[in-house]
Amino acid sequence: METPRHFPYGFIDREIISQAAIDARVKELGKEITQDYKDSERLLLLGLLRGSVVFLTDLMREIKRPITMDFMSVSSYNKSESSGFVRIDSDHKTNIRGWDVILIDDIVDSGYTIRTVRKLLLDREPRSLKVCALLDKPERHKVDIHIDYLGFSIPDYFVVGYGLDYDEKGRNLPYIAAIDLQKGEE
Ligand code: IMP
Ligand code: MG
């Protein structure tokens, strides 16, 4: 496959989830969330920067309920491996006490990010807290994580596109592609 010009490395392996498949799944998740929160007056979509931005902005338009959005920025990654230490770089602004919160991330890998942020948010006494992720790599989990709304489960590939990056590149690809890190290091 020819490397698209908006990704500067020569090691995009292959498209694993098409734009059409993402679009269809996001619509389904939006419907499900709309139904589940039909009685909620205070629904907050809380995205983790920066990877969840593309997913969150598409998903929110499929939720036919009043919503608020907010963001937190966390980091734990060196290019492609979690360090296990999840650092909160910037916090959300909304006081979530009494809110129905959906924590949104791009992908669950080791699970450390979701576990750490979930614990922190629970301390802040939301009315409810659920987890939504576009992608999950179950083979990579190091801790037990429950994902309430999941886009797709994938094998242990490193992926870019639709918000996900490798070294900050590739977020603007409209589909999900697996990259071969060994090829890139040659
Ligand atoms: P965890 O804490 O190991 O579950 O990692 C979650 C975070 O790692 C995600 O929010 C992503 O930012 C990043 N990440 C994990 N796997 C990938 C991948 O395949 N592509 C891009 N980012 C990834
Ligand atoms: Mg992330």
Side-chain angles (χ1 to χ4, degrees):
M1 186 179 152
E2 209 179 306
T3 303
R5 270 172 301 158
H6 40 315
F7 192 73
Y9 299 101
F11 53 97
I12 283 206
D13 213 11
R14 63 191 186 284
E15 177 179 308
I16 61 162
I17 307 174
S18 69
Q19 195 170 358
I22 296 171
D23 193 47
R25 188 70 190 117
V26 167
K27 285 194 164 68
E28 284 173 3
L29 289 173
K31 265 199 195 125
E32 208 182 316
I33 292 171
T34 302
Q35 176 61 26
D36 290 355
Y37 290 87
K38 61 182 188 307
D39 300 321
S40 172
E41 293 309 318
R42 286 190 292 176
L43 176 58
L44 178 73
L45 304 185
L46 180 48
L48 298 185
L49 293 172
R50 284 161 281 195
S52 74
V53 165
V54 178
F55 176 43
L56 187 148
T57 52
D58 278 351
L59 180 63
M60 67 188 274
R61 281 172 282 181
E62 301 299 331
I63 299 174
K64 314 298 179 195
R65 294 287 313 150
I67 58 120
T68 299
M69 71 166 159
D70 206 336
F71 295 96
M72 288 173 82
S73 179
V74 302
S75 52
S76 67
Y77 260 62
N78 286 326
K79 278 197 177 174
S80 68
E81 199 61 40
S82 172
S83 66
F85 165 58
V86 179
R87 190 181 67 202
I88 309 295
D89 293 325
S90 91
D91 215 337
H92 59 90
K93 294 215 165 86
T94 319
N95 177 357
I96 61 170
R97 173 171 292 161
W99 283 70
D100 293 308
V101 177
I102 305 179
L103 174 60
I104 301 184
D105 205 1
D106 50 0
I107 186 165
V108 178
D109 185 281
S110 66
Y112 289 134
T113 302
I114 291 297
R115 187 180 65 165
T116 304
V117 175
R118 220 182 141 263
K119 278 190 191 162
L120 179 75
L121 296 178
L122 283 173
D123 252 9
R124 296 173 175 176
E125 300 177 345
R127 178 168 171 245
S128 67
L129 177 60
K130 285 193 183 177
V131 172
C132 172
L134 175 71
L135 303 172
D136 182 30
K137 294 194 268 196
E139 288 165 46
R140 301 264 305 173
H141 289 192
K142 297 216 170 99
V143 290
D144 259 352
I145 287 295
H146 177 69
I147 305 171
D148 300 279
Y149 303 104
L150 175 65
F152 304 90
S153 200
I154 61 167
D156 181 12
Y157 299 140
F158 197 84
V159 292
V160 297
Y162 199 68
L164 291 100
D165 72 305
Y166 172 71
D167 198 17
E168 293 304 324
K169 312 293 190 314
R171 295 192 195 275
N172 56 333
L173 288 173
Y175 52 85
I176 301 287
I179 62 174
D180 183 342
L181 291 172
Q182 260 144 27
K183 237 196 254 175
E185 282 158 11
E186 271 165 16

